[in-house]
Amino acid sequence: MTFTDAREAVREALTKAVKRRLAADVPVHAYLSGGLDSTVVCGLMTRLGARFTCFNVGFPDSPYDESEKARAVANHYGQQFETVPCTHRQIGENIPEAVYATEMPLNNYNALAKMVLSRYVRGRGVKVCLTGEGADEFFGGYPYFKLEAIWRLLAAGGDDARRGRALLARFRAMEFKSEGLLWDGTDRWKRSTSAFGYPSFFNLRARDANRCVDLFFNQKQMDLDAADMPGNLLKTSMPGERLEGLDPFNTTRLLTLNQLYNIVIPSLGDRVEMAHSLECRPPFLDRDLLALLGSVPPEFFIDLDNLREKNLLREAMADLLPPAFQKEHKHPFLAPSWSGFGGTRQGRELFAEFLSSRAIREVGIFRPLTVNMARWALGGFPLPRGLRRKLDALLGTMLTTHLLHHSFVVRQIPCDPSFPMADRGPERLSQRHRAA
């Protein structure tokens, strides 16, 4: 397959994917963040003749607010645009509902923003929207895809290492907004033995998670052992025979897919959308498109010399994109910090109720001393940028873990044990087929 072959095939497959998802007996609209993925979806919807509203969530008075970029995209395609502001007050009001709907701890409050957006969209009478989820996972959009390629150059030595050092300096300046969350700015990769045979960001993330368990979790009361540690869970999540012979880029894509269906889709997609009876359809997860992307040579996805992620997608849709997309680098969808939220009235009330020393002791999941030390450090102690963001994500995880505990353990949601449940597991289904 040549790059031209891949580019034309992606263009055709993605166009068909969007066309399929426009079929409905109600009007179909779109979520628009202003990034590449949702812009491509809106552009293809427009090209296919759809008239719709682009719905956006913004963070007023925050460096993470990109509502004006999204508005410019909607104007470029001649579509209606509406944005809903996600303020600290709305975050505070929606945290319990988002935790209840997603049934998981949240390490950032993107899910809360999507909860606010979904409620607003459904309130406007909309029932179906197209979204951009899945493009980062399949087209190599996360910063760590580029960083791992740079690490491989640095490890090779010689001219490759010199090229890698120049690229790393540019990468750091370009991706500063997501350091600590979506890439690691230290040299630990040199000392970290990866289970996958190459310097892996996921390996470093698992090591950080191991430290978090050691420092912050009450392991004895939680009855945690070595098998429960994140590093061991990472090793067992991907069978060795499945990874054998894979290019490092494709191995990381597989790990990223685990992240997609375990975290991203539940917390940023299905559960916060269906909490408001809103159906969102992601064209990038079209089965035919994914089968195609599995056969594309890995070197087509990233233009490393230009640090250009999702290069194949950009080239396939070049004539569809607004001119600004040829020049501007778009950061991943991020939201303001938990520690910033903790400084508001709503934040102080939630932290006082659910993350006080007394609450921590009563629940028994975390250690009060280290949790309080982390909160103190985030309160103004000078920390490296990457470490501050990791601690901030951990703070949100601890708060929402306690909210999860309150919703499903303390409150003990009533159920009817006599309610008849059908076992639809694979073994039972296969037995029925054999009997038939």
Side-chain angles (χ1 to χ4, degrees):
M1 183 187 292
T2 67
F3 185 84
T4 300
D5 294 335
R7 183 184 63 200
E8 296 307 312
V10 164
R11 184 183 182 89
E12 180 181 353
L14 190 50
T15 301
K16 288 181 179 178
V18 171
K19 186 175 182 179
R20 284 189 184 112
R21 284 156 184 80
L22 287 174
D25 55 5
V26 294
V28 178
H29 299 270
Y31 277 7
L32 177 62
S33 69
L36 175 67
D37 313 331
S38 57
T39 295
V40 165
V41 171
C42 288
L44 286 172
M45 290 173 71
T46 302
R47 179 166 286 178
L48 289 166
R51 302 301 304 168
F52 56 95
T53 298
C54 302
F55 292 103
N56 165 268
V57 62
F59 303 101
D61 303 318
S62 164
Y64 296 99
D65 182 67
E66 297 189 326
S67 55
E68 288 309 309
K69 293 179 183 178
R71 186 185 301 276
V73 170
N75 290 339
H76 176 81
Y77 293 126
Q79 303 292 357
Q80 296 294 314
F81 178 80
E82 294 183 26
T83 185
V84 53
C86 187
T87 64
H88 280 136
R89 179 182 63 79
Q90 290 168 312
I91 291 295
E93 292 173 352
N94 281 274
I95 288 179
E97 184 183 359
V99 169
Y100 181 83
T102 59
E103 301 182 6
M104 63 172 63
L106 305 171
N107 69 354
N108 63 56
Y109 54 65
N110 291 348
L112 310 174
K114 294 294 283 288
M115 177 71 79
V116 170
L117 178 62
S118 298
R119 177 186 290 110
Y120 175 83
V121 172
R122 190 65 185 88
R124 295 282 286 107
V126 172
K127 295 184 177 181
V128 180
C129 284
L130 301 197
T131 69
E133 276 87 13
D136 283 318
E137 288 76 12
F138 282 96
F139 284 95
Y142 291 115
Y144 52 75
F145 282 104
K146 293 183 290 188
L147 183 61
E148 288 182 352
I150 293 171
W151 284 345
R152 294 195 290 273
L153 289 176
L154 294 171
D159 289 341
D160 282 342
R162 282 190 285 275
R163 178 185 169 213
R165 285 191 291 272
L167 286 171
L168 183 60
R170 289 165 49 202
F171 174 89
R172 287 176 177 276
M174 175 184 286
E175 301 289 356
F176 69 95
K177 281 189 177 182
S178 58
E179 182 181 359
L181 298 177
L182 296 174
W183 61 278
D184 188 273
T186 70
D187 289 333
R188 293 183 302 152
W189 66 272
K190 296 178 181 178
R191 305 181 297 276
S192 176
T193 303
S194 171
F196 311 111
Y198 65 94
S200 166
F201 170 75
F202 279 91
N203 192 59
L204 293 183
R205 179 181 270 179
R207 290 186 65 188
D208 286 342
N210 277 351
R211 290 194 187 96
C212 285
V213 173
D214 285 335
L215 288 171
F216 294 97
F217 279 74
N218 189 337
Q219 296 180 59
K220 185 176 180 180
Q221 185 159 334
M222 293 289 290
D223 195 25
L224 300 177
D225 58 26
D228 300 314
M229 297 299 283
N232 289 325
L233 292 172
L234 177 64
K235 291 175 185 176
T236 58
S237 66
M238 284 289 169
E241 62 271 16
R242 200 173 170 202
L243 303 179
E244 189 174 350
L246 278 184
D247 183 273
F249 177 84
N250 284 333
T251 299
T252 297
R253 275 209 298 181
L254 275 179
L255 294 167
T256 305
L257 286 180
N258 270 345
Q259 180 178 269
L260 175 71
Y261 62 72
N262 281 309
I263 301 172
V264 176
I265 292 298
S267 66
L268 295 182
D270 288 348
R271 297 180 188 177
V272 291
E273 293 154 0
M274 290 308 296
H276 300 104
S277 301
L278 180 69
E279 178 192 343
C280 286
R281 304 172 176 180
F284 285 105
L285 297 183
D286 180 87
R287 184 170 296 186
D288 291 343
L289 175 63
L290 303 189
L292 166 66
L293 295 177
S295 67
V296 171
E299 62 270 20
F300 290 175
F301 289 95
I302 293 175
D303 177 0
L304 191 58
D305 285 328
N306 291 304
L307 293 175
R308 198 174 188 229
E309 71 284 347
K310 292 187 279 197
N311 185 55
L312 178 59
L313 178 61
R314 292 176 188 274
E315 289 298 317
M317 298 295 161
D319 68 325
L320 185 74
L321 296 172
F325 279 79
Q326 304 303 323
K327 298 175 284 186
E328 184 179 281
H329 172 68
K330 173 70 169 63
H331 293 276
F333 177 56
L334 298 170
S337 68
W338 288 100
S339 50
F341 169 67
T344 66
R345 181 182 61 79
Q346 294 86 357
R348 284 191 297 271
E349 290 174 356
L350 273 174
F351 280 108
E353 181 177 358
F354 291 103
L355 217 56
S356 66
S357 296
R358 178 185 57 78
I360 295 169
R361 284 192 299 271
E362 288 178 355
V363 173
I365 297 175
F366 303 110
R367 297 177 176 177
L369 178 61
T370 49
V371 172
N372 288 333
M373 287 178 63
R375 292 184 63 185
W376 172 78
L378 285 167
F381 194 79
L383 296 171
R385 182 168 56 199
L387 177 59
R388 171 170 289 278
R389 287 183 177 145
K390 289 175 185 176
L391 279 178
D392 189 82
L394 179 63
L395 182 67
T397 300
M398 292 187 292
L399 173 66
T400 53
T401 297
H402 274 195
L403 278 160
L404 193 69
H405 180 272
H406 178 76
S407 294
F408 292 99
V409 179
V410 174
R411 293 174 60 187
Q412 294 187 350
I413 296 172
C415 62
D416 181 2
S418 65
F419 186 82
M421 297 291 287
D423 183 354
R424 303 186 187 277
E427 291 184 8
R428 180 60 61 86
L429 287 175
S430 62
Q431 290 172 5
R432 289 178 185 169
H433 288 310
R434 284 196 297 270

